């Protein structure tokens, strides 16, 4: 049984919906955008509009990466802080198209990266952080699991793209392995997050020569950012 106050409230809500111009209808589960593809498309449209309103006009080769990171974080600071070495996005997509695998430093990023799309090009996805022997070796050497994980990855066959979204020690060790000549990545996504050694690790990665790099300058980053960049690269292959 419906009461008069409920009906009055419903009428007021209806009037509010009709009176707000330029926004989606606030009608609970009966919203205008209900399908995942529609929601994502509308989100990207709104992100693009706000970027233009801020006077930001990204390079066409990196625009989808910037927008997908903002979509994953709702943080427009990434429009300013994401750094790309020249041709990095194209080089990484070319490597993925040729079957490069991806190594990440967190199980969260591992879960968020599209293994289905990666597998279509012959690539595999790796994360060694949860391996018991990695934990045991890290404890024995008094180093982080992320450090040992990068060393394990250096022994993998084939071209590798590294997506570091959490641990600065992973990025530091990866840079060390590059300098030691033990690995030459097909690309590095340097987006660890935090307050200790994060900025320094990213700056170290930006000093590497001859390696395609996508880096989130400053403290911000994270596993969601790493996964978003990987997916943007994968989803963009068919458009290149």
């Amino acid at each position: 049984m419906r009461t008069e106050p409920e009906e009055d409230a419903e009428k007021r809500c209806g009037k509010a919906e009709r009176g707000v111009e330029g926004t989606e209808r606030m009608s609970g589960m009966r919203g205008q955008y209900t399908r995942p593809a529609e929601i994502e498309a509308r989100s990207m449209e709104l992100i693009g509009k706000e970027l233009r309103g801020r006077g930001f006009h990204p390079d066409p080769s990196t625009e989808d990466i910037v927008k997908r990171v903002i979509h994953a974080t709702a943080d427009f600071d990434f429009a300013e802080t994401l750094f790309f070495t020249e041709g990095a996005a194209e080089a990484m997509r070319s490597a993925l198209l040729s079957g490069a695998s991806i190594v990440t430093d967190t199980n969260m990023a591992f879960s968020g990266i599209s293994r289905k799309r990666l597998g279509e090009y012959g690539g595999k996805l790796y994360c060694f952080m949860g391996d018991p022997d990695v934990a045991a070796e890290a404890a024995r050497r008094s180093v982080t699991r992320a450090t040992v994980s990068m060393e394990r990855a250096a022994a993998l066959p084939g071209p590798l793209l590294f997506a570091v979204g959490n641990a600065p020690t992973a990025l530091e060790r990866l840079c060390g392995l590059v300098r030691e000549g033990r690995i030459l990545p097909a690309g590095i996504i340097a987006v660890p997050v935090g307050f200790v050694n994060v900025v320094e690790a990213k700056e170290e990665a930006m000093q590497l020569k001859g390696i395609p790099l996508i880096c989130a300058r400053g403290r911000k980053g994270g596993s969601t950012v790493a996964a978003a960049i990987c997916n943007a690269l994968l989803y963009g292959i068919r458009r290149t």
Side-chain angles (χ1 to χ4, degrees):
M1 178 177 179
R2 296 171 60 177
T3 65
E4 285 296 321
E6 288 176 339
E7 292 180 352
D8 290 343
E10 193 171 90
K11 290 176 182 178
R12 287 195 299 272
C13 288
K15 289 179 180 178
E17 289 174 1
R18 291 190 293 272
V20 178
E21 186 173 336
T23 61
E24 280 74 39
R25 290 170 54 87
M26 301 296 291
S27 53
M29 296 302 291
R30 299 190 300 275
Q32 183 177 354
Y33 302 99
T34 58
R35 297 179 180 178
E38 294 174 342
I39 293 170
E40 180 175 308
R42 178 57 175 157
S43 296
M44 293 300 182
E45 181 183 342
L46 292 171
I47 291 167
K49 182 178 180 179
E50 184 161 342
L51 284 173
R52 292 189 295 273
R54 292 168 178 248
F56 184 77
H57 302 283
D59 185 283
S61 67
T62 62
E63 180 177 9
D64 58 337
I65 298 173
V66 173
K67 289 170 71 174
R68 189 161 289 278
V69 169
I70 294 172
H71 180 256
T73 62
D75 189 343
F76 281 83
D77 284 353
F78 284 106
E80 300 291 340
T81 60
L82 281 176
F83 167 82
F84 301 80
T85 56
E86 185 175 356
E90 297 94 327
M92 291 187 192
R93 282 182 171 137
S94 178
L96 290 168
L97 181 61
S98 299
S101 294
I102 297 175
V103 178
T104 185
D105 67 325
T106 68
N107 286 315
M108 182 180 293
F110 182 89
S111 297
I113 296 169
S114 176
R115 276 172 279 180
K116 179 178 183 295
R117 183 62 62 89
L118 180 62
E120 290 178 5
Y121 306 115
K124 297 180 179 180
L125 186 60
Y126 297 95
C127 179
F128 298 102
M129 290 293 289
D131 291 6
D133 57 337
V134 168
E137 182 176 342
R140 185 173 64 254
R141 293 168 51 192
S142 297
V143 298
T144 66
R145 287 181 297 155
T147 295
V148 178
S149 292
M150 293 299 103
E151 294 170 349
R152 294 290 175 90
L156 292 172
L160 300 171
L161 191 154
F162 286 81
V164 180
N166 182 63
T169 54
L171 186 56
E172 290 171 337
R173 187 62 188 119
L174 177 58
C175 290
L177 291 166
V178 171
R179 291 194 303 272
E180 294 164 16
R182 293 176 58 182
I183 192 168
L184 183 62
I188 298 175
I189 297 168
V191 293
V193 60
F195 297 91
V196 179
N197 296 334
V198 170
V199 173
E200 295 82 357
K202 292 175 180 179
E203 290 176 349
E204 185 177 359
M206 292 173 67
Q207 297 302 314
L208 297 175
K209 304 297 183 182
I211 297 175
L213 174 73
I214 301 174
C215 179
R217 293 171 293 191
R219 295 171 173 173
K220 292 183 179 182
S223 298
T224 55
V225 175
I229 293 173
C230 289
N231 288 333
L233 290 169
L234 288 164
Y235 298 154
I237 287 176
R238 291 175 180 173
R239 294 195 297 271
T240 59

